Amino acid sequence: MGKHAAIAIAWIAGLTTIVVPILVAIYLASSQSLDAEKSRAGTLAAEVLRRSDLTSEQIYAAFEKLEGEHADDPCSWSNIARMREIDLGSTQLQAVGYIADNRLMCSSLGIHGAGIPLGPPDYVNAAGTSIRAGVELPFVPAMRFTISTREKSGYAAIVHRVLPLDVATYRPDISLGLVGKDNHELILSRGPFSPEWLEGFGQAGGVRLFDGEYVIAIEPSREYGYTAYAAVPATYLDAGTRRAALILVPVGLAAGILLALVVFYLTRRQLSLPALLRNALRADEFFLLYQPLIDLQSGKWHGAEALLRWQRPDGELIRPDLFIPAAEESGLIRQVTQKVMALLVRDAAALLQLYPDFHIGINLSAADLENPGIIDELRTILQNAGVGPGNIMVEATERGFLKTEHAAQIIRDIRQMGICVAIDDFGTGYSSLSYLTTFELDYLKIDKSFVDTIGIEAATSQVIPHIIEMAKSLKLKIIAEGVETEEQAQYLRERGVHYGQGWLFGKPMPIGELTIQLEKEKKSPES
Ligand code: C2E
Ligand code: CA
Ligand code: CA
């Protein structure tokens, strides 16, 4: 997986961790709100049913009582007195009366002359009770009543149309009502009503969401021929969702951001160079290439420099300019150097045993030169490879010499073992030249940036003769780095520079190629 793909995945993961909790929060909010409205609708329908059943109980009790008297004249004063008694004794009935020929002839209120015309009933239910819904009576204008009449006796119960619906609703536009069980005719209602609400309900009743417009609950009566309903407009659902979302979304957002931060932190840590390096060390993603050092006078291969390469599992090569500084900063450079040493022993032991005068240089960092353990590590290389100290060289940059106290002693010890030490990238550092006299060294490597100026009329081109003279006076052997042209080689040769390294002579190459070249040279020593 490439780094970009990994970063893209980290982004996707990060965004997902923000978006998903919010979506979950909204989903929870809406389902929470739906649940709340469902249970409210259910409670309201049950309450309407309870009150209606109570009313029905009282209506039928009144019928039984009046019919039980077998009055010859239902509108006799004694019968009216009985009606009043029943009326006052019931909590739900406004009046009881007697109907003949669609007229209310008398009631607990008295005798109504020739009778109040009521018109035909809306319907007759299975129990033989006719229902007139929404009747207006002249003595209480603007009020509407439901009149239930026992067909066989003519006795009637008058109930305030909304009384059983006088349920405390938490909002005004919630519809409540009572419909005939089989015909779905409205008996009582409050608010808008649609017959479709009742469709699809079984006899058991329950709650369902209809059309996305209303949350509807119905409760069929077990005793009587009607069904109570409650319908909550979906706008309350949305409002409920919004209210719940107002609490849940910020919580989701906070959780999301927190999660995203964790994801970013973890992926960044995972993607960071030190983390990748640590894995690479474990997974053996490193190998060495060897670049020859040429004797500028004879043209013979004098030695080579081991240069580390890091190849990611996807094939990507990471430049040492990038990962060496990262290893130095993250304290991993010691492990990197140890890896180089192990690779060197594995690659080059056989070759070096064949060529006792040929040396391979390894690059050491400042941290290596502060750690006395490096001496043992170098000694171990010689032992494990079965080679002499002349087969190994150490290259250290000016930066490596900065911590002079320790480095001076360690370099002395390295040289004591017979291993040569070169100062690398000479001329690019910012430290004073005094360490050149403090340290005893063997080689000086002129940095490529100076070699580049050869043949160009640049001010810095004046520097190179001075470096050469200084090295000579300090009795250091000189290696010119980054020699790319014959002109540069010629210039260096003329000024007595001993060795050259660069693409003109050979690019960094695998150990196999180096071996072949050395064999060729051995067979034809004059070339
Ligand atoms: P360096 O020690 O100065 O190594 C020489 C660099 O110059 C190498 O780059 C080499 O490939 C490149 N080079 C050689 N000849 C030419 C040439 O003619 N033209 C051009 N343009 N370049 C040339 P490389 O291998 O990329 O290494 C870069 C730096 O990384 C090295 O500079 C060294 O400081 C560091 N490095 C490489 N391997 C190791 C290692 O094993 N340990 C440590 N501590 N540092 C290493
Ligand atoms: Ca070097
Ligand atoms: Ca160098």
Side-chain angles (χ1 to χ4, degrees), residues 53-113:
D53 279 355
L54 179 65
T55 306
S56 297
E57 231 170 77
Q58 295 184 3
I59 288 171
Y60 285 101
F63 289 165
E64 299 298 326
K65 202 164 185 184
L66 289 168
E67 287 163 3
E69 293 300 324
H70 302 292
D72 293 333
D73 177 6
C75 286
S76 67
W77 282 110
S78 59
N79 212 31
I80 287 173
R82 219 172 280 132
M83 288 178 188
R84 282 179 184 155
E85 216 175 279
I86 293 167
D87 183 356
L88 289 172
S90 86
T91 54
Q92 302 296 105
L93 310 185
Q94 270 64 60
V96 282
Y98 172 73
I99 290 170
D101 296 330
N102 294 331
R103 287 169 176 266
L104 180 63
M105 304 307 295
C106 61
S107 73
S108 45
L109 301 169
I111 294 169
H112 304 304

Short mmCIF file of all heavy atoms in Angstrom, two decimals, residues 53-113:
data_model
loop_
_atom_site.label_atom_id
_atom_site.label_comp_id
_atom_site.label_asym_id
_atom_site.label_seq_id
_atom_site.Cartn_x
_atom_site.Cartn_y
_atom_site.Cartn_z
N ASP A 53 -66.15 2.92 27.08
CA ASP A 53 -66.72 1.71 27.68
C ASP A 53 -67.51 2.04 28.95
O ASP A 53 -68.58 1.48 29.19
CB ASP A 53 -65.61 0.69 27.99
CG ASP A 53 -65.22 -0.10 26.75
OD1 ASP A 53 -65.86 0.08 25.68
OD2 ASP A 53 -64.25 -0.90 26.83
N LEU A 54 -67.00 3.00 29.71
CA LEU A 54 -67.70 3.43 30.92
C LEU A 54 -69.04 4.04 30.53
O LEU A 54 -70.09 3.76 31.15
CB LEU A 54 -66.83 4.45 31.67
CG LEU A 54 -67.42 5.03 32.95
CD1 LEU A 54 -67.58 3.92 33.99
CD2 LEU A 54 -66.53 6.14 33.51
N THR A 55 -69.03 4.88 29.48
CA THR A 55 -70.26 5.50 28.99
C THR A 55 -71.24 4.43 28.52
O THR A 55 -72.43 4.45 28.87
CB THR A 55 -69.94 6.47 27.83
OG1 THR A 55 -68.95 7.39 28.28
CG2 THR A 55 -71.18 7.23 27.40
N SER A 56 -70.72 3.47 27.75
CA SER A 56 -71.59 2.40 27.23
C SER A 56 -72.21 1.61 28.37
O SER A 56 -73.41 1.29 28.32
CB SER A 56 -70.79 1.45 26.35
OG SER A 56 -70.30 2.14 25.23
N GLU A 57 -71.41 1.33 29.34
CA GLU A 57 -71.90 0.60 30.50
C GLU A 57 -73.10 1.33 31.10
O GLU A 57 -74.14 0.72 31.39
CB GLU A 57 -70.78 0.58 31.55
CG GLU A 57 -70.44 -0.77 32.13
CD GLU A 57 -69.17 -0.64 32.95
OE1 GLU A 57 -69.25 -0.12 34.09
OE2 GLU A 57 -68.08 -1.02 32.43
N GLN A 58 -72.94 2.63 31.23
CA GLN A 58 -74.01 3.43 31.84
C GLN A 58 -75.23 3.51 30.92
O GLN A 58 -76.37 3.48 31.39
CB GLN A 58 -73.48 4.82 32.20
CG GLN A 58 -72.41 4.73 33.30
CD GLN A 58 -71.91 6.09 33.77
OE1 GLN A 58 -72.39 7.14 33.32
NE2 GLN A 58 -70.96 6.08 34.70
N ILE A 59 -74.95 3.60 29.60
CA ILE A 59 -76.07 3.65 28.64
C ILE A 59 -76.90 2.36 28.74
O ILE A 59 -78.13 2.38 28.90
CB ILE A 59 -75.56 3.85 27.20
CG1 ILE A 59 -75.04 5.28 27.00
CG2 ILE A 59 -76.67 3.54 26.18
CD1 ILE A 59 -74.32 5.51 25.68
N TYR A 60 -76.18 1.20 28.69
CA TYR A 60 -76.92 -0.06 28.70
C TYR A 60 -77.60 -0.32 30.05
O TYR A 60 -78.68 -0.90 30.11
CB TYR A 60 -76.03 -1.22 28.25
CG TYR A 60 -75.83 -1.18 26.73
CD1 TYR A 60 -74.67 -0.68 26.18
CD2 TYR A 60 -76.87 -1.59 25.88
CE1 TYR A 60 -74.51 -0.60 24.80
CE2 TYR A 60 -76.72 -1.51 24.51
CZ TYR A 60 -75.55 -1.01 23.95
OH TYR A 60 -75.42 -0.92 22.61
N ALA A 61 -76.95 0.16 31.11
CA ALA A 61 -77.58 0.02 32.43
C ALA A 61 -78.89 0.81 32.46
O ALA A 61 -79.92 0.36 33.00
CB ALA A 61 -76.63 0.51 33.52
N ALA A 62 -78.86 2.01 31.83
CA ALA A 62 -80.06 2.85 31.79
C ALA A 62 -81.16 2.16 30.99
O ALA A 62 -82.33 2.11 31.42
CB ALA A 62 -79.72 4.22 31.17
N PHE A 63 -80.80 1.59 29.83
CA PHE A 63 -81.78 0.89 29.01
C PHE A 63 -82.42 -0.24 29.81
O PHE A 63 -83.64 -0.38 29.85
CB PHE A 63 -81.12 0.28 27.75
CG PHE A 63 -80.69 1.31 26.73
CD1 PHE A 63 -79.82 0.96 25.71
CD2 PHE A 63 -81.19 2.62 26.76
CE1 PHE A 63 -79.42 1.87 24.76
CE2 PHE A 63 -80.78 3.54 25.80
CZ PHE A 63 -79.90 3.17 24.80
N GLU A 64 -81.54 -1.06 30.46
CA GLU A 64 -82.06 -2.21 31.21
C GLU A 64 -83.05 -1.75 32.27
O GLU A 64 -84.12 -2.34 32.44
CB GLU A 64 -80.91 -2.97 31.90
CG GLU A 64 -79.86 -3.56 30.95
CD GLU A 64 -80.45 -4.60 30.01
OE1 GLU A 64 -81.38 -5.34 30.43
OE2 GLU A 64 -79.98 -4.67 28.85
N LYS A 65 -82.66 -0.65 32.93
CA LYS A 65 -83.49 -0.19 34.03
C LYS A 65 -84.85 0.28 33.54
O LYS A 65 -85.90 -0.11 34.06
CB LYS A 65 -82.77 0.95 34.77
CG LYS A 65 -83.25 1.14 36.18
CD LYS A 65 -82.24 1.99 36.96
CE LYS A 65 -82.67 2.09 38.42
NZ LYS A 65 -81.75 2.97 39.16
N LEU A 66 -84.84 1.10 32.46
CA LEU A 66 -86.09 1.64 31.93
C LEU A 66 -86.96 0.55 31.33
O LEU A 66 -88.17 0.51 31.55
CB LEU A 66 -85.79 2.74 30.89
CG LEU A 66 -85.23 4.05 31.48
CD1 LEU A 66 -84.69 4.94 30.35
CD2 LEU A 66 -86.28 4.79 32.29
N GLU A 67 -86.31 -0.36 30.61
CA GLU A 67 -87.08 -1.44 29.98
C GLU A 67 -87.66 -2.39 31.03
O GLU A 67 -88.74 -2.94 30.84
CB GLU A 67 -86.20 -2.22 28.98
CG GLU A 67 -85.94 -1.43 27.70
CD GLU A 67 -84.77 -1.96 26.90
OE1 GLU A 67 -84.17 -2.99 27.30
OE2 GLU A 67 -84.43 -1.34 25.87
N GLY A 68 -86.94 -2.52 32.15
CA GLY A 68 -87.37 -3.42 33.20
C GLY A 68 -88.67 -2.98 33.87
O GLY A 68 -89.39 -3.78 34.46
N GLU A 69 -89.01 -1.69 33.74
CA GLU A 69 -90.20 -1.15 34.39
C GLU A 69 -91.48 -1.46 33.61
O GLU A 69 -92.58 -1.38 34.16
CB GLU A 69 -90.06 0.36 34.57
CG GLU A 69 -88.97 0.76 35.55
CD GLU A 69 -89.20 0.21 36.95
OE1 GLU A 69 -90.37 0.12 37.40
OE2 GLU A 69 -88.19 -0.17 37.60
N HIS A 70 -91.35 -1.78 32.32
CA HIS A 70 -92.51 -2.02 31.45
C HIS A 70 -93.57 -0.92 31.57
O HIS A 70 -94.74 -1.18 31.80
CB HIS A 70 -93.17 -3.38 31.77
CG HIS A 70 -92.20 -4.52 31.61
ND1 HIS A 70 -91.70 -4.89 30.37
CD2 HIS A 70 -91.62 -5.34 32.51
CE1 HIS A 70 -90.87 -5.90 30.52
NE2 HIS A 70 -90.79 -6.19 31.83
N ALA A 71 -93.12 0.34 31.48
CA ALA A 71 -94.08 1.45 31.60
C ALA A 71 -95.03 1.45 30.40
O ALA A 71 -94.60 1.26 29.27
CB ALA A 71 -93.32 2.78 31.68
N ASP A 72 -96.34 1.66 30.64
CA ASP A 72 -97.31 1.70 29.54
C ASP A 72 -97.06 2.93 28.67
O ASP A 72 -97.03 2.86 27.47
CB ASP A 72 -98.75 1.75 30.10
CG ASP A 72 -99.06 0.43 30.81
OD1 ASP A 72 -98.43 -0.60 30.41
OD2 ASP A 72 -99.86 0.44 31.76
N ASP A 73 -96.83 4.05 29.39
CA ASP A 73 -96.51 5.29 28.67
C ASP A 73 -95.09 5.70 29.03
O ASP A 73 -94.83 6.11 30.16
CB ASP A 73 -97.48 6.40 29.11
CG ASP A 73 -97.15 7.72 28.44
OD1 ASP A 73 -96.24 7.72 27.55
OD2 ASP A 73 -97.75 8.75 28.82
N PRO A 74 -94.17 5.57 28.09
CA PRO A 74 -92.77 5.89 28.42
C PRO A 74 -92.61 7.35 28.84
O PRO A 74 -91.65 7.68 29.52
CB PRO A 74 -92.01 5.61 27.10
CG PRO A 74 -92.93 4.72 26.31
CD PRO A 74 -94.33 5.10 26.69
N CYS A 75 -93.53 8.23 28.41
CA CYS A 75 -93.39 9.63 28.77
C CYS A 75 -94.28 10.05 29.94
O CYS A 75 -94.59 11.23 30.12
CB CYS A 75 -93.69 10.52 27.53
SG CYS A 75 -92.31 10.46 26.34
N SER A 76 -94.69 9.05 30.74
CA SER A 76 -95.45 9.42 31.92
C SER A 76 -94.53 10.11 32.90
O SER A 76 -93.31 9.91 32.87
CB SER A 76 -96.03 8.15 32.57
OG SER A 76 -94.96 7.36 33.08
N TRP A 77 -95.12 10.94 33.77
CA TRP A 77 -94.27 11.69 34.71
C TRP A 77 -93.50 10.76 35.63
O TRP A 77 -92.36 11.05 36.00
CB TRP A 77 -95.09 12.71 35.50
CG TRP A 77 -95.35 13.91 34.63
CD1 TRP A 77 -96.57 14.27 34.10
CD2 TRP A 77 -94.40 14.84 34.17
NE1 TRP A 77 -96.44 15.36 33.32
CE2 TRP A 77 -95.09 15.76 33.33
CE3 TRP A 77 -93.02 15.01 34.35
CZ2 TRP A 77 -94.47 16.81 32.71
CZ3 TRP A 77 -92.43 16.08 33.72
CH2 TRP A 77 -93.13 16.95 32.90
N SER A 78 -94.10 9.62 35.94
CA SER A 78 -93.37 8.70 36.83
C SER A 78 -92.16 8.11 36.09
O SER A 78 -91.09 7.94 36.68
CB SER A 78 -94.30 7.58 37.31
OG SER A 78 -94.81 6.86 36.19
N ASN A 79 -92.36 7.88 34.79
CA ASN A 79 -91.21 7.35 34.03
C ASN A 79 -90.13 8.42 33.83
O ASN A 79 -88.93 8.13 33.89
CB ASN A 79 -91.69 6.82 32.68
CG ASN A 79 -90.83 5.63 32.22
OD1 ASN A 79 -90.32 4.88 33.07
ND2 ASN A 79 -90.67 5.47 30.93
N ILE A 80 -90.60 9.67 33.63
CA ILE A 80 -89.63 10.77 33.49
C ILE A 80 -88.84 10.95 34.79
O ILE A 80 -87.63 11.19 34.77
CB ILE A 80 -90.36 12.07 33.07
CG1 ILE A 80 -90.78 11.94 31.58
CG2 ILE A 80 -89.46 13.30 33.27
CD1 ILE A 80 -91.64 13.07 31.07
N ALA A 81 -89.57 10.76 35.93
CA ALA A 81 -88.88 10.84 37.22
C ALA A 81 -87.80 9.77 37.30
O ALA A 81 -86.68 10.00 37.81
CB ALA A 81 -89.87 10.69 38.37
N ARG A 82 -88.08 8.60 36.76
CA ARG A 82 -87.09 7.51 36.75
C ARG A 82 -85.89 7.90 35.87
O ARG A 82 -84.74 7.64 36.21
CB ARG A 82 -87.76 6.26 36.19
CG ARG A 82 -87.35 4.99 36.89
CD ARG A 82 -88.19 3.82 36.43
NE ARG A 82 -89.48 3.77 37.07
CZ ARG A 82 -90.65 3.60 36.43
NH1 ARG A 82 -90.68 3.47 35.12
NH2 ARG A 82 -91.78 3.57 37.11
N MET A 83 -86.24 8.53 34.72
CA MET A 83 -85.16 8.99 33.83
C MET A 83 -84.24 9.96 34.55
O MET A 83 -83.03 9.89 34.43
CB MET A 83 -85.75 9.68 32.58
CG MET A 83 -86.42 8.72 31.59
SD MET A 83 -87.10 9.67 30.21
CE MET A 83 -88.00 8.42 29.33
N ARG A 84 -84.82 10.89 35.30
CA ARG A 84 -84.03 11.89 36.03
C ARG A 84 -83.11 11.20 37.05
O ARG A 84 -81.94 11.60 37.22
CB ARG A 84 -84.94 12.87 36.75
CG ARG A 84 -85.48 13.88 35.77
CD ARG A 84 -86.42 14.88 36.42
NE ARG A 84 -86.96 15.76 35.39
CZ ARG A 84 -88.12 16.39 35.50
NH1 ARG A 84 -88.85 16.27 36.60
NH2 ARG A 84 -88.52 17.16 34.52
N GLU A 85 -83.68 10.24 37.69
CA GLU A 85 -82.90 9.48 38.69
C GLU A 85 -81.65 8.85 38.04
O GLU A 85 -80.54 8.95 38.55
CB GLU A 85 -83.79 8.37 39.23
CG GLU A 85 -83.63 8.05 40.68
CD GLU A 85 -84.67 7.00 41.06
OE1 GLU A 85 -85.84 7.40 41.30
OE2 GLU A 85 -84.31 5.81 41.06
N ILE A 86 -81.92 8.22 36.89
CA ILE A 86 -80.82 7.56 36.17
C ILE A 86 -79.79 8.61 35.73
O ILE A 86 -78.57 8.44 35.90
CB ILE A 86 -81.37 6.80 34.94
CG1 ILE A 86 -82.22 5.60 35.40
CG2 ILE A 86 -80.23 6.32 34.03
CD1 ILE A 86 -83.06 4.99 34.29
N ASP A 87 -80.32 9.69 35.16
CA ASP A 87 -79.48 10.78 34.67
C ASP A 87 -78.54 11.30 35.77
O ASP A 87 -77.32 11.34 35.62
CB ASP A 87 -80.41 11.89 34.17
CG ASP A 87 -79.65 13.05 33.56
OD1 ASP A 87 -78.40 13.02 33.62
OD2 ASP A 87 -80.29 13.96 33.03
N LEU A 88 -79.14 11.60 36.92
CA LEU A 88 -78.34 12.15 38.02
C LEU A 88 -77.37 11.12 38.59
O LEU A 88 -76.33 11.46 39.11
CB LEU A 88 -79.26 12.68 39.11
CG LEU A 88 -80.01 13.95 38.73
CD1 LEU A 88 -81.07 14.30 39.79
CD2 LEU A 88 -79.05 15.11 38.54
N GLY A 89 -77.78 9.85 38.48
CA GLY A 89 -76.93 8.80 39.05
C GLY A 89 -75.80 8.37 38.15
O GLY A 89 -74.96 7.57 38.54
N SER A 90 -75.75 8.89 36.93
CA SER A 90 -74.66 8.48 36.02
C SER A 90 -73.67 9.62 35.82
O SER A 90 -74.04 10.78 35.85
CB SER A 90 -75.22 8.02 34.68
OG SER A 90 -75.40 9.14 33.84
N THR A 91 -72.45 9.25 35.65
CA THR A 91 -71.41 10.28 35.49
C THR A 91 -71.25 10.69 34.03
O THR A 91 -70.77 11.77 33.73
CB THR A 91 -70.06 9.76 35.99
OG1 THR A 91 -69.78 8.52 35.32
CG2 THR A 91 -70.08 9.54 37.49
N GLN A 92 -71.67 9.81 33.10
CA GLN A 92 -71.34 10.05 31.71
C GLN A 92 -72.54 10.53 30.88
O GLN A 92 -72.35 11.11 29.82
CB GLN A 92 -70.80 8.76 31.05
CG GLN A 92 -69.57 8.19 31.73
CD GLN A 92 -68.36 9.10 31.65
OE1 GLN A 92 -68.00 9.74 32.66
NE2 GLN A 92 -67.79 9.23 30.47
N LEU A 93 -73.74 10.24 31.34
CA LEU A 93 -74.92 10.55 30.52
C LEU A 93 -75.42 11.96 30.84
O LEU A 93 -75.56 12.33 31.99
CB LEU A 93 -76.04 9.54 30.79
CG LEU A 93 -75.65 8.05 30.72
CD1 LEU A 93 -76.88 7.17 30.87
CD2 LEU A 93 -74.92 7.75 29.41
N GLN A 94 -75.68 12.72 29.74
CA GLN A 94 -76.23 14.06 29.94
C GLN A 94 -77.75 14.00 30.17
O GLN A 94 -78.32 14.78 30.89
CB GLN A 94 -75.92 14.95 28.74
CG GLN A 94 -74.61 15.70 28.88
CD GLN A 94 -73.43 14.75 28.92
OE1 GLN A 94 -73.22 13.99 27.97
NE2 GLN A 94 -72.70 14.76 30.00
N ALA A 95 -78.35 13.05 29.44
CA ALA A 95 -79.80 12.89 29.61
C ALA A 95 -80.21 11.52 29.10
O ALA A 95 -79.48 10.91 28.34
CB ALA A 95 -80.53 13.99 28.82
N VAL A 96 -81.36 11.05 29.57
CA VAL A 96 -81.96 9.86 28.97
C VAL A 96 -83.36 10.25 28.51
O VAL A 96 -83.96 11.20 29.03
CB VAL A 96 -82.02 8.67 29.95
CG1 VAL A 96 -80.67 8.01 30.08
CG2 VAL A 96 -82.52 9.09 31.32
N GLY A 97 -83.85 9.55 27.48
CA GLY A 97 -85.15 9.96 26.95
C GLY A 97 -85.82 8.84 26.18
O GLY A 97 -85.39 7.68 26.23
N TYR A 98 -86.86 9.23 25.45
CA TYR A 98 -87.63 8.25 24.69
C TYR A 98 -87.84 8.80 23.29
O TYR A 98 -88.21 9.96 23.11
CB TYR A 98 -88.97 7.99 25.39
CG TYR A 98 -89.90 7.12 24.58
CD1 TYR A 98 -89.65 5.73 24.43
CD2 TYR A 98 -91.02 7.68 23.94
CE1 TYR A 98 -90.50 4.94 23.67
CE2 TYR A 98 -91.88 6.88 23.19
CZ TYR A 98 -91.61 5.51 23.04
OH TYR A 98 -92.44 4.75 22.28
N ILE A 99 -87.61 7.93 22.28
CA ILE A 99 -87.71 8.35 20.89
C ILE A 99 -88.77 7.52 20.18
O ILE A 99 -88.80 6.28 20.32
CB ILE A 99 -86.35 8.21 20.18
CG1 ILE A 99 -85.36 9.26 20.73
CG2 ILE A 99 -86.50 8.37 18.66
CD1 ILE A 99 -83.94 9.08 20.30
N ALA A 100 -89.63 8.22 19.45
CA ALA A 100 -90.60 7.53 18.60
C ALA A 100 -90.67 8.28 17.29
O ALA A 100 -90.64 9.52 17.28
CB ALA A 100 -91.97 7.49 19.28
N ASP A 101 -90.70 7.56 16.19
CA ASP A 101 -90.78 8.16 14.85
C ASP A 101 -89.71 9.23 14.63
O ASP A 101 -89.98 10.33 14.14
CB ASP A 101 -92.16 8.80 14.62
CG ASP A 101 -93.25 7.75 14.63
OD1 ASP A 101 -92.93 6.58 14.25
OD2 ASP A 101 -94.37 8.06 15.06
N ASN A 102 -88.48 8.87 15.03
CA ASN A 102 -87.34 9.80 14.86
C ASN A 102 -87.54 11.13 15.58
O ASN A 102 -86.94 12.14 15.20
CB ASN A 102 -87.05 10.06 13.37
CG ASN A 102 -86.57 8.81 12.67
OD1 ASN A 102 -85.96 7.93 13.30
ND2 ASN A 102 -86.86 8.71 11.39
N ARG A 103 -88.34 11.13 16.63
CA ARG A 103 -88.51 12.36 17.42
C ARG A 103 -88.21 12.04 18.88
O ARG A 103 -88.61 11.00 19.39
CB ARG A 103 -89.95 12.87 17.33
CG ARG A 103 -90.24 13.48 15.98
CD ARG A 103 -91.73 13.72 15.81
NE ARG A 103 -91.97 14.40 14.55
CZ ARG A 103 -92.07 15.73 14.46
NH1 ARG A 103 -92.01 16.48 15.52
NH2 ARG A 103 -92.26 16.28 13.26
N LEU A 104 -87.54 12.99 19.55
CA LEU A 104 -87.30 12.86 20.98
C LEU A 104 -88.57 13.37 21.67
O LEU A 104 -88.83 14.56 21.72
CB LEU A 104 -86.08 13.68 21.40
CG LEU A 104 -85.70 13.66 22.88
CD1 LEU A 104 -85.32 12.23 23.33
CD2 LEU A 104 -84.55 14.62 23.17
N MET A 105 -89.36 12.41 22.18
CA MET A 105 -90.67 12.79 22.72
C MET A 105 -90.54 13.36 24.13
O MET A 105 -91.18 14.34 24.46
CB MET A 105 -91.60 11.56 22.75
CG MET A 105 -91.78 10.89 21.40
SD MET A 105 -92.31 12.04 20.09
CE MET A 105 -93.94 12.50 20.69
N CYS A 106 -89.74 12.71 24.94
CA CYS A 106 -89.52 13.21 26.29
C CYS A 106 -88.15 12.77 26.74
O CYS A 106 -87.53 11.93 26.10
CB CYS A 106 -90.59 12.66 27.24
SG CYS A 106 -90.56 10.85 27.34
N SER A 107 -87.67 13.38 27.84
CA SER A 107 -86.35 13.02 28.36
C SER A 107 -86.29 13.37 29.84
O SER A 107 -87.30 13.87 30.39
CB SER A 107 -85.26 13.78 27.61
OG SER A 107 -85.27 15.13 28.00
N SER A 108 -85.18 13.14 30.45
CA SER A 108 -85.02 13.51 31.86
C SER A 108 -85.19 15.00 32.05
O SER A 108 -85.31 15.49 33.17
CB SER A 108 -83.66 13.02 32.38
OG SER A 108 -82.65 13.34 31.44
N LEU A 109 -85.21 15.75 30.94
CA LEU A 109 -85.42 17.20 31.03
C LEU A 109 -86.91 17.56 31.02
O LEU A 109 -87.27 18.70 31.26
CB LEU A 109 -84.72 17.91 29.88
CG LEU A 109 -83.20 17.67 29.80
CD1 LEU A 109 -82.65 18.19 28.48
CD2 LEU A 109 -82.50 18.33 30.98
N GLY A 110 -87.75 16.59 30.66
CA GLY A 110 -89.18 16.88 30.63
C GLY A 110 -89.83 16.35 29.35
O GLY A 110 -89.21 15.60 28.60
N ILE A 111 -91.06 16.80 29.13
CA ILE A 111 -91.79 16.39 27.93
C ILE A 111 -91.55 17.43 26.86
O ILE A 111 -91.62 18.63 27.11
CB ILE A 111 -93.29 16.24 28.23
CG1 ILE A 111 -93.50 15.06 29.23
CG2 ILE A 111 -94.09 15.97 26.94
CD1 ILE A 111 -94.89 14.99 29.79
N HIS A 112 -91.22 16.97 25.60
CA HIS A 112 -90.86 17.92 24.56
C HIS A 112 -92.00 18.12 23.57
O HIS A 112 -91.78 18.02 22.35
CB HIS A 112 -89.59 17.45 23.85
CG HIS A 112 -88.43 17.24 24.79
ND1 HIS A 112 -87.96 18.23 25.64
CD2 HIS A 112 -87.67 16.14 25.06
CE1 HIS A 112 -86.97 17.77 26.37
NE2 HIS A 112 -86.77 16.47 26.04
N GLY A 113 -93.19 18.36 24.09
CA GLY A 113 -94.34 18.66 23.24
C GLY A 113 -94.58 17.59 22.20
O GLY A 113 -94.65 16.40 22.53
#
